[in-house]
């Protein structure tokens, strides 16, 4: 009788274990969005994510302004900074709060997104004094800066890419709603499959 109970228990354990293994691979990319920042200004001290070599050559990322926003393509430049951002987005889609430079000249045509500090992003900044609408830059430490209008802002930035500067793009950026309870807008950055 004991042997029969042990055999049934072992069989049950084996079936449950196999189901757990099978189900761990069933997560979709949308679920991996995982709200990297669940609240604005969230400080995280996790270690760097493992990098996915398949996204190392990505030349485009998909960006939505707001949770239900239409996707726009961010065309990436061929540099180490853009490649690192593409690799990291390839491991977990980014959902980042949007901030505005309210105290800067031309603040009405620029915004920035803070990337969690767990991501190590190299940069090669150059002095920039004039920016065109649709240009996207990286600014240390771990910040993406978007200009959705022409500006003349003095800063040290690394160019990472650009959006096609259309009226539809500018409207999407400007009409992105503030999330209730956050006091910030949201940007979603995903890999292009």
């Amino acid at each position: 009788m004991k042997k029969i109970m042990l055999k049934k228990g072992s069989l049950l354990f084996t079936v449950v274990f196999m189901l757990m293994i099978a189900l761990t691979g069933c997560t979709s990319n949308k679920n991996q969005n995982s709200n990297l920042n669940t609240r604005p200004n969230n400080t995280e001290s996790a270690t760097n994510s493992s990098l996915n070599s398949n996204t190392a050559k990505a030349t485009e990322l998909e960006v939505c302004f707001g949770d239900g926003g239409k996707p726009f393509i961010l065309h990436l430049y061929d540099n180490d900074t853009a490649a690192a951002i593409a690799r990291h987005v390839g491991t977990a889609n980014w959902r980042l709060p949007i901030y505005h430079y309210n105290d800067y000249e031309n603040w009405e045509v620029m915004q920035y997104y803070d990337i969690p500090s767990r991501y190590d992003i190299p940069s090669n900044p150059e002095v920039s004094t004039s920016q065109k609408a649709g240009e996207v830059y990286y600014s240390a430490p771990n910040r993406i800066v978007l200009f959705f209008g022409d500006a003349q802002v003095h800063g040290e930035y690394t160019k990472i890419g650009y959006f096609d500067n259309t009226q539809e793009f500018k409207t999407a950026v400007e009409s992105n709603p503030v999330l209730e309870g956050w006091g910030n807008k949201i940007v979603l950055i995903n890999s292009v499959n």
Side-chain angles (χ1 to χ4, degrees), residues 74-96:
L74 171 57
H75 306 277
L76 298 174
Y77 293 125
D78 185 13
N79 63 42
D80 292 341
T81 306
I85 289 170
R87 271 194 314 272
H88 291 308
V89 169
T91 64
N93 295 332
W94 287 352
R95 184 174 188 250
L96 306 173

Side-chain angles (χ1 to χ4, degrees), residues 1-157:
M1 182 76 149
K2 256 186 173 177
K3 287 183 180 182
I4 293 173
M5 295 291 281
L6 285 173
K7 284 183 180 180
K8 285 183 179 179
S10 295
L11 180 60
L12 181 61
F13 176 78
T14 303
V15 169
V16 169
F17 181 73
M18 295 303 287
L19 280 172
M20 287 175 45
I21 290 173
L23 292 176
T24 58
C26 294
T27 58
S28 72
N29 233 7
K30 295 294 180 191
N31 290 337
Q32 289 176 349
N33 190 339
S34 72
N35 300 341
L36 291 176
N37 284 334
T38 56
R39 300 281 300 165
N41 298 324
N42 182 13
T43 56
E44 300 186 31
S45 60
T47 57
N48 284 341
S49 300
S50 61
L51 300 178
N52 181 349
S53 61
N54 292 338
T55 59
K57 296 178 183 173
T59 58
E60 296 178 337
L61 294 174
E62 182 181 84
V63 178
C64 298
F65 299 94
D67 284 332
K70 177 185 183 230
F72 290 89
I73 298 298
L74 171 57
H75 306 277
L76 298 174
Y77 293 125
D78 185 13
N79 63 42
D80 292 341
T81 306
I85 289 170
R87 271 194 314 272
H88 291 308
V89 169
T91 64
N93 295 332
W94 287 352
R95 184 174 188 250
L96 306 173
I98 296 173
Y99 302 98
H100 292 272
Y101 284 112
N102 294 338
D103 56 345
Y104 279 76
E105 190 174 334
N106 291 309
W107 64 269
E108 63 278 352
V109 295
M110 62 190 289
Q111 56 186 217
Y112 68 92
Y113 325 124
D114 282 340
I115 302 166
S117 61
R118 70 174 170 241
Y119 295 106
D120 184 31
I121 300 175
S123 67
N124 187 17
E126 295 180 1
V127 173
S128 175
T129 58
S130 179
Q131 299 80 24
K132 297 287 182 199
E135 289 183 333
V136 182
Y137 296 85
Y138 175 81
S139 172
N142 281 27
R143 180 171 284 171
I144 294 174
V145 181
L146 165 66
F147 289 89
F148 55 94
D150 292 344
Q152 294 198 350
V153 176
H154 186 276
E156 290 191 12
Y157 302 116

